[in-house]
Amino acid sequence: MEELSERTTSACTMQDNDNHSTADPDNITFRLVRNGDSPQKMAVENSCHNLNIMKNVDVLYQEYRDTSKQQEIDQRRQRDGLPTAGSGVLAAPALQLQLRSSTNSLNLWQNLDAVKKSGLLQTLEPKEIILQEAMFELVTSEASYYKSLELLETHFLRNPLLVNTLSQSDMHFLFSNITDIMKASEKFLMDLEHRIEESILISDVCDIVHFHAVNHFQVFISYVINQVYQETNYRRILQENCAFRENMAILENQPKVKGLSFTSFLILPFQRITRLKLLVQNILKRVEENSEKERTAILAHQELEKIVKQCNEGARKMSRTEELISIEKTLEFKSKSVPVISHSRWLLKKGEVQQMSGPKSTRTMRSRKLYHPIYLFLFNNLLLITKRNSSGDKFQVLDSCSRSMLRTEDLEDQGQMLACVFVLKLLENQEDREVSYMLKTESVSDKLRWICALTPNRRTRFLSTSTHEPDSPQVQCIQSYSSQEPDELSVEMADVLHILECTDDGWILGERLHDGERGWFPNRVVERIMSAEVRAQNLKECQRIQQAQEGAQGTRAASRGRVAVRNSQYNASWTDL
């Protein structure tokens, strides 16, 4: 592919492999028109605006993503009356836009020369300008994403320094179907840019998102599922292949990579498909209710949600199956054997706790003889109570119980001695008996995490967002965190989460607003949202999306019929030119 610096977005065109006038859509080489291409090759009418979006975007997607998220955090901090990052002072109130830094070339729609000259800024209402910015950000961020994909291809995938050091199988492990991902992005970007060039007042982008999500974005699912093996094989290759390791260090240190790691490029597709869903959500929050734009935004969001869900479930299924196989190899059943491997089973939490036995007097509570280590394996539908063997590599199964037959009792109100102690009751164990275990954990947070995992229907300290409480406590993530345990939640910068539970030693059980995912994370990576107005707005926007989705589901059949007509009229800019 041509260097990105040579490209412009003045038009989109295509050529078939034989340069015939009629092209087979399945065998098309797609490209953006370069400077110097003849007018005959350009698929844009003379009235179109030459915005040169791709040419003007000089930030990689990783930079855009970090900057955009930091500005979301700064905007919330302004409304909380807190200093913004790097300012040391309070920033002046700003229009409710995700303003992008002037030091980066991701310009606002309102700063485009064509927009300034058009007079639109004097006639449009502020809410319409905000909507235009939301749609324009989807386009410019896609351009930045494509720029990063091109660098992944030209600097790594096609680079002889790497290609000559890797076997064909290792090339596939590392890059998977990234070329298909690039083709999908290029088609998508062409149509987005063509829409803007048709009119500087953007009519819609979500209809284009929906079209491509339905027809071209399935390639994301295969790529994300393969990422389960990507990281493992990358570590293996680095360890085993000295030439690859040395050449990778050379490539990562070159200026064009801007200090970014090779792996930051490999994870781009999943980051993009999840971010794209959030960008569509941002548009959905701002469009007029019951309008055509709302309808297309809902359809686009539904399709993206399906894809993200399939990506998550596919990746989880691969890793969960491997985890079950690994666990089963370590288990030794004392009496009744329980089959562990099942397509409907996965690990939720595992770890060592202390079983307390004997008389519970104050004197014996301090005795080490009272405690016996046991190891719990908690799955989504099963609990195994085990103990390590003498060598420490095997676990003897002592008892088991269906997860639905578990009950817990917290003993924190019975004195400091029992602060880390709780009772686990098996209503029907493997011998069809009711038994109880008094268990002690290392910390209060460990105890609470075990209780929440063992009995998920237990009432938490704070209610879920689904209860629509107007002033529920919320936090915003200010530092990304990758989960270390199965019951933890990976959070990204700018994520807004509803607090369900918190401990005095620094852990929070939260529910992410935009997707409802739950899990534990350390409180050091988040900030409390102090403004009641911001919390109420976050909840209102969350409910708006939920209600729009629910309303759309009631008329899904009719919507599909209408969108089929719309799609038959909508021509992608890379076909029939």
Side-chain angles (χ1 to χ4, degrees):
M1 288 193 177
E2 299 88 2
E3 285 291 330
L4 183 67
S5 60
E6 297 177 351
R7 298 171 182 260
T8 72
T9 60
S10 58
C12 303
T13 189
M14 71 171 193
Q15 294 178 327
D16 63 8
N17 292 333
D18 298 320
N19 293 321
H20 293 306
S21 57
T22 58
D24 177 2
D26 294 327
N27 295 296
I28 293 173
T29 300
F30 299 96
R31 64 183 180 83
L32 299 177
V33 174
R34 294 173 296 169
N35 287 333
D37 275 354
S38 65
Q40 290 78 14
K41 291 184 180 180
M42 301 184 67
V44 172
E45 298 177 1
N46 293 333
S47 60
C48 294
H49 298 279
N50 186 344
L51 302 179
N52 292 328
I53 295 173
M54 280 290 289
K55 186 177 180 180
N56 290 329
V57 171
D58 62 0
V59 297
L60 295 174
Y61 186 71
Q62 297 94 318
E63 298 172 295
Y64 150 77
R65 189 168 173 270
D66 290 346
T67 300
S68 179
K69 287 178 176 293
Q70 184 59 56
Q71 285 163 349
E72 289 181 47
I73 295 171
D74 287 346
Q75 185 183 36
R76 189 267 309 162
R77 282 175 171 165
Q78 287 179 18
R79 299 181 68 180
D80 270 349
L82 299 173
T84 56
S87 67
V89 295
L90 294 181
L95 189 64
Q96 291 181 10
L97 301 172
Q98 292 179 6
L99 299 179
R100 280 161 267 170
S101 173
S102 59
T103 59
N104 293 310
S105 297
L106 287 174
N107 293 321
L108 293 169
W109 174 82
Q110 61 190 294
N111 290 338
L112 294 174
D113 289 337
V115 173
K116 292 178 180 178
K117 293 175 182 178
S118 69
L120 287 170
L121 297 178
Q122 286 71 48
T123 59
L124 292 177
E125 295 183 6
K127 65 179 182 179
E128 179 59 32
I129 295 176
I130 293 173
L131 176 59
Q132 290 292 312
E133 296 290 1
M135 293 190 288
F136 189 65
E137 181 180 8
L138 191 147
V139 181
T140 55
S141 62
E142 186 66 25
S144 179
Y145 167 65
Y146 185 76
K147 178 183 175 72
S148 287
L149 287 182
E150 272 205 321
L151 190 56
L152 173 61
E153 182 197 43
T154 58
H155 191 65
F156 295 104
L157 176 60
R158 308 293 181 200
N159 198 310
L161 281 176
L162 291 192
V163 174
N164 296 336
T165 63
L166 292 172
S167 66
Q168 188 172 356
S169 61
D170 282 344
M171 283 289 291
H172 177 70
F173 278 135
L174 288 183
F175 296 101
S176 187
N177 62 329
I178 193 65
T179 53
D180 295 332
I181 296 283
M182 288 195 66
K183 289 177 183 177
S185 177
E186 187 163 15
K187 295 174 188 177
F188 182 42
L189 182 56
M190 285 177 179
D191 285 348
L192 290 172
E193 293 177 330
H194 188 70
R195 172 62 57 81
I196 293 182
E197 288 161 353
E198 287 177 339
S199 172
I200 199 63
L201 182 64
I202 307 170
S203 59
D204 197 1
V205 293
C206 290
D207 58 336
I208 299 176
V209 175
H210 177 254
F211 176 86
H212 283 266
V214 171
N215 294 287
H216 302 296
F217 285 176
Q218 296 301 310
V219 294
F220 282 94
I221 300 171
S222 300
Y223 187 88
V224 173
I225 291 175
N226 287 334
Q227 277 190 281
V228 176
Y229 302 107
Q230 197 176 59
E231 185 177 346
T232 301
N233 280 284
Y234 179 56
R235 289 197 300 264
R236 173 185 59 80
I237 295 168
L238 280 176
Q239 186 174 0
E240 298 175 356
N241 191 328
C242 180
F244 173 83
R245 183 170 63 249
E246 292 174 354
N247 289 343
M248 179 58 72
I250 293 172
L251 294 178
E252 286 185 328
N253 286 325
Q254 290 187 8
K256 65 170 66 176
V257 181
K258 300 185 178 182
L260 297 167
S261 68
F262 173 59
T263 53
S264 76
F265 289 89
L266 292 181
I267 63 175
L268 285 172
F270 185 58
Q271 289 181 336
R272 181 55 185 169
I273 197 67
T274 52
R275 181 68 177 173
L276 194 58
K277 190 187 84 166
L278 295 180
L279 292 172
V280 170
Q281 277 188 5
N282 197 34
I283 294 171
L284 180 55
K285 296 171 187 175
R286 287 158 173 75
V287 294
E288 186 178 347
E289 292 188 29
N290 302 316
S291 65
E292 178 66 11
K293 287 180 181 177
E294 183 189 60
R295 187 186 69 82
T296 59
I298 290 170
L299 291 172
H301 187 267
Q302 287 175 336
E303 290 300 324
L304 290 172
E305 194 155 29
K306 288 180 189 175
I307 294 170
V308 172
K309 186 177 181 180
Q310 286 179 276
C311 287
N312 283 326
E313 289 179 349
R316 286 170 180 167
K317 185 177 180 180
M318 299 288 281
S319 60
R320 285 169 174 174
T321 301
E322 288 190 350
E323 190 170 40
L324 289 178
I325 294 172
S326 176
I327 290 173
E328 189 176 59
K329 291 178 180 178
T330 67
L331 299 177
E332 296 175 340
F333 288 88
K334 183 178 180 181
S335 55
K336 184 178 179 181
S337 178
V338 178
V340 173
I341 300 175
S342 168
H343 290 298
S344 60
R345 178 171 293 151
W346 60 88
L347 183 71
L348 292 180
K349 190 171 179 61
K350 63 179 180 178
E352 187 173 276
V353 295
Q354 301 292 322
Q355 180 185 0
M356 301 174 66
S357 57
K360 307 302 186 298
S361 67
T362 303
R363 181 182 301 174
T364 58
M365 290 287 285
R366 294 190 177 94
S367 171
R368 291 186 178 181
K369 294 180 180 180
L370 180 66
Y371 306 109
H372 304 282
I374 59 174
Y375 201 93
L376 305 183
F377 289 94
L378 178 64
F379 304 94
N380 62 307
N381 54 9
L382 175 70
L383 171 69
L384 297 180
I385 299 176
T386 74
K387 69 173 182 179
R388 290 182 186 270
N389 64 7
S390 56
S391 60
D393 59 348
K394 295 284 186 179
F395 297 89
Q396 184 181 20
V397 179
L398 306 175
D399 208 347
S400 64
C401 181
S402 169
R403 188 183 180 213
S404 63
M405 301 297 286
L406 300 175
R407 300 293 184 270
T408 57
E409 180 187 355
D410 194 347
L411 302 181
E412 66 176 350
D413 59 348
Q414 298 187 25
Q416 185 62 32
M417 192 69 68
L418 299 175
C420 296
V421 177
F422 69 99
V423 174
L424 172 62
K425 183 179 291 187
L426 282 56
L427 299 182
E428 189 177 298
N429 73 346
Q430 63 185 18
E431 298 176 354
D432 299 326
R433 294 188 301 110
E434 180 178 316
V435 295
S436 294
Y437 294 85
M438 183 172 283
L439 304 176
K440 183 179 181 180
T441 61
E442 290 186 356
S443 65
V444 174
S445 62
D446 283 342
K447 178 193 68 174
L448 196 54
R449 286 171 65 168
W450 270 114
I451 290 175
C452 290
L454 290 162
T455 49
N457 295 325
R458 166 186 168 273
R459 182 183 175 90
T460 53
R461 186 178 307 185
F462 304 105
L463 298 177
S464 168
T465 52
S466 61
T467 61
H468 305 320
E469 288 294 317
D471 197 27
S472 301
Q474 296 173 9
V475 293
Q476 185 175 45
C477 178
I478 59 171
Q479 178 186 335
S480 296
Y481 175 77
S482 296
S483 60
Q484 306 298 311
E485 299 290 341
D487 65 334
E488 294 180 7
L489 180 67
S490 293
V491 290
E492 297 284 344
M493 281 180 60
D495 279 354
V496 175
L497 303 107
H498 175 74
I499 299 176
L500 298 174
E501 194 69 81
C502 54
T503 69
D504 294 335
D505 53 353
W507 285 88
I508 295 174
L509 174 64
E511 178 183 79
R512 191 160 42 219
L513 263 63
H514 75 76
D515 61 7
E517 290 284 322
R518 293 185 179 189
W520 291 88
F521 50 88
N523 63 11
R524 60 180 169 78
V525 303
V526 298
E527 283 181 349
R528 287 289 291 262
I529 298 177
M530 307 305 296
S531 169
E533 181 184 355
V534 172
R535 293 196 299 270
Q537 181 180 330
N538 290 338
L539 190 59
K540 182 179 178 181
E541 291 174 348
C542 179
Q543 292 169 7
R544 165 84 192 276
I545 293 170
Q546 290 175 350
Q547 291 167 358
Q549 294 275 60
E550 291 167 0
Q553 289 171 0
T555 58
R556 177 169 292 182
S559 296
R560 282 179 175 171
R562 289 195 299 273
V563 81
V565 174
R566 175 69 177 268
N567 281 346
S568 66
Q569 298 171 345
Y570 167 69
N571 292 320
S573 62
W574 38 269
T575 60
D576 299 331
L577 298 179

